[in-house]
Amino acid sequence: MSSTRFTFWVLILVVVIAGASQGLTIPLLAVMLEQQGVSSVANGLNAAALYIGILLVSPWLEIPLRRIGYRSTILCGLLMVTAATVLIPVFSHLAVWFVLRMLMGIGDSGLHYASQMWVTKIAAPERRGRDLSLYGLAYGIGFSIGPLGINLLPIGFWAPFAALTVLYAAAFILLARIRNDFPEEIKATEAGVKKQNKYTTVFRLSWLALIPSFLYGFMETSLNGSFPVYALRTGISIEWVSVILPSFVVGSIILQIPLGSLSDRIGRKRVMFACALVGAVAFILFPLSGDNVWMMMFLLAIAGAAVGSFYSLGLAFATDILPGAMVPTAGIIASMNFGVASILAPNVNGLLIQLWDPRSIFWLMGLLLFGFAAACLFFRTTRSSQETAVAS
């Protein structure tokens, strides 16, 4: 196996572990706060701490990435996540959890940003969609396994977090076996890309490719942060929550690689357009399942199969459109979009659950996906636009 492919598979395994961490901590803490009688709005605000951390650090991640490299950035992020995970069961105060979850968000953001950019760099153009889909698949597998850790609670409050700490140790060992690398440098004298217009140029040329990260963040946080509250208020047990939630990710696992490979052949925009329509219908129909757990799992699996690969498809689309040196900037914007959406989702959903109808959280996700499908019809990519990116 070449060193490049070895690095790729190490990153895949590390992302599985990172996915398991988020897949467990988000619903676990939401359930605990609900059982303690914390309001849905306060629960949503606490869940938003993770994404506040992501949003705060995202604009600055390109600096350490270019200065200390991919692996060092991943290690720093992993260290922060590990520290926060170890400290959560030590404290029970809501404010302390808020700070620790923010620290976890900062670490997660650095870890995922650096690993995504590394995979994007080493992936060959003809299999970029497939490799980024494998990355998304790895995260999905970890995320689907994560909620099962809720079942460790009978052993003790500390048990799920101890299991995560063991996984983090494995990630450190894996990362120690690969060599550091650095992104391409932006050559201002050749490309004419000025610091002050870099973000503007990326937005102008790839705005459609940056929307999926927002949508994925909103959907992920709605399901993992707000669905446990929705479920408990509609009479669904905690045990069923741990089974229903992974259905979305399991659905994405089924089609993650096929969709990535299909996008390599027929184009990212066509694939995302069709997937947005299917996902919108599945979310809008979800409230009709009532208390039928199996129908919930089926509809979430359909939604996951359709839109579970949105983040990786959007990033691959941005990589297709932009020069290589601009891709890290697109990654920063995508990470910020994810963070903004993830902060909005628990708060908007908390208000919808408390003031209107719990089912409205699924209607909102459906409408957002319909809106993205409409945007796909207006976006055009031309060769001249890519040349503009280089010359602007």
Side-chain angles (χ1 to χ4, degrees):
M1 183 185 296
S2 68
S3 60
T4 297
R5 295 312 288 176
F6 180 74
T7 297
F8 172 77
W9 288 111
V10 167
L11 293 174
I12 292 300
L13 291 174
V14 170
V15 169
V16 171
I17 294 170
S21 171
Q22 289 194 20
L24 173 57
T25 55
I26 295 173
L28 174 62
L29 295 179
V31 166
M32 287 180 165
L33 292 175
E34 176 70 11
Q35 289 180 329
Q36 293 173 14
V38 175
S39 70
S40 61
V41 173
N43 200 329
L45 286 171
N46 197 263
L50 178 75
Y51 305 103
I52 292 174
I54 292 175
L55 187 60
L56 288 176
V57 76
S58 290
W60 315 106
L61 285 176
E62 194 172 354
I63 297 173
L65 188 72
R66 294 189 182 277
R67 289 184 178 177
I68 65 177
Y70 296 109
R71 191 187 71 161
S72 298
T73 304
I74 295 172
L75 286 170
C76 290
L78 186 60
L79 183 62
M80 290 184 188
V81 173
T82 303
T85 301
V86 170
L87 291 173
I88 283 177
V90 177
F91 301 94
S92 59
H93 196 281
L94 197 64
V96 177
W97 277 13
F98 186 92
V99 174
L100 291 177
R101 294 177 88 172
M102 187 183 299
L103 180 63
M104 188 174 290
I106 293 173
D108 271 329
S109 185
L111 188 159
H112 284 292
Y113 172 69
S115 57
Q116 286 167 3
M117 293 301 98
W118 205 352
V119 169
T120 299
K121 179 183 177 182
I122 63 179
E126 65 273 11
R127 65 182 182 194
R128 181 175 293 139
R130 178 179 177 276
D131 280 2
L132 282 171
S133 293
L134 277 170
Y135 179 94
L137 175 64
Y139 178 80
I141 290 174
F143 210 91
S144 64
I145 295 172
L148 298 177
I150 294 176
N151 296 312
L152 294 175
L153 282 174
I155 299 175
F157 173 50
W158 53 268
F161 302 100
L164 287 177
T165 304
V166 172
L167 291 178
Y168 296 149
F172 278 112
I173 294 172
L174 288 169
L175 288 168
R177 297 178 58 84
I178 59 177
R179 297 180 61 182
N180 198 12
D181 195 5
F182 294 82
E184 296 180 28
E185 291 293 333
I186 296 179
K187 299 179 181 179
T189 57
E190 297 177 9
V193 179
K194 298 180 180 179
K195 185 176 181 180
Q196 60 266 30
N197 68 16
K198 181 173 59 175
Y199 287 89
T200 301
T201 302
V202 171
F203 266 119
R204 177 167 54 84
L205 297 177
S206 61
W207 60 268
L208 183 69
L210 300 172
I211 295 176
S213 57
F214 179 92
L215 294 175
Y216 187 81
F218 198 96
M219 291 183 293
E220 179 192 276
T221 314
S222 294
L223 292 175
N224 291 280
S226 301
F227 177 72
V229 178
Y230 167 91
L232 291 175
R233 294 195 176 192
T234 54
I236 300 172
S237 68
I238 296 176
E239 291 74 20
W240 275 116
V241 169
S242 69
V243 176
I244 294 171
L245 273 179
S247 300
F248 180 86
V249 182
V250 170
S252 70
I253 289 173
I254 296 173
L255 288 185
Q256 188 86 226
I257 295 178
L259 287 176
S261 299
L262 182 63
S263 73
D264 285 332
R265 295 195 299 271
I266 69 172
R268 323 286 181 205
K269 188 174 71 169
R270 290 180 180 179
V271 172
M272 290 190 295
F273 171 77
C275 288
L277 292 179
V278 174
V281 172
F283 279 129
I284 288 176
L285 291 177
F286 186 88
L288 298 180
S289 60
D291 59 356
N292 188 324
V293 171
W294 300 106
M295 182 58 69
M296 290 182 185
M297 293 173 64
F298 173 75
L299 289 173
L300 281 187
I302 294 296
V307 299
S309 57
F310 253 33
Y311 198 111
S312 59
L313 286 175
L315 190 58
F317 191 27
T319 306
D320 294 339
I321 298 170
L322 299 169
M326 277 189 166
V327 173
T329 304
I332 287 290
I333 297 172
S335 180
M336 292 177 65
N337 286 347
F338 180 88
V340 169
S342 301
I343 292 171
L344 287 175
N347 292 287
V348 171
N349 291 334
L351 289 172
L352 289 175
I353 291 173
Q354 188 162 313
L355 302 178
W356 190 26
D357 190 321
R359 297 172 297 177
S360 59
I361 66 176
F362 295 99
W363 298 334
L364 178 57
M365 286 188 284
L367 290 175
L368 289 174
L369 288 171
F370 274 130
F372 175 72
C376 288
L377 300 176
F378 294 97
F379 184 83
R380 294 290 181 271
T381 304
T382 64
R383 180 178 178 82
S384 60
S385 68
Q386 296 186 38
E387 291 172 348
T388 301
V390 178
S392 60

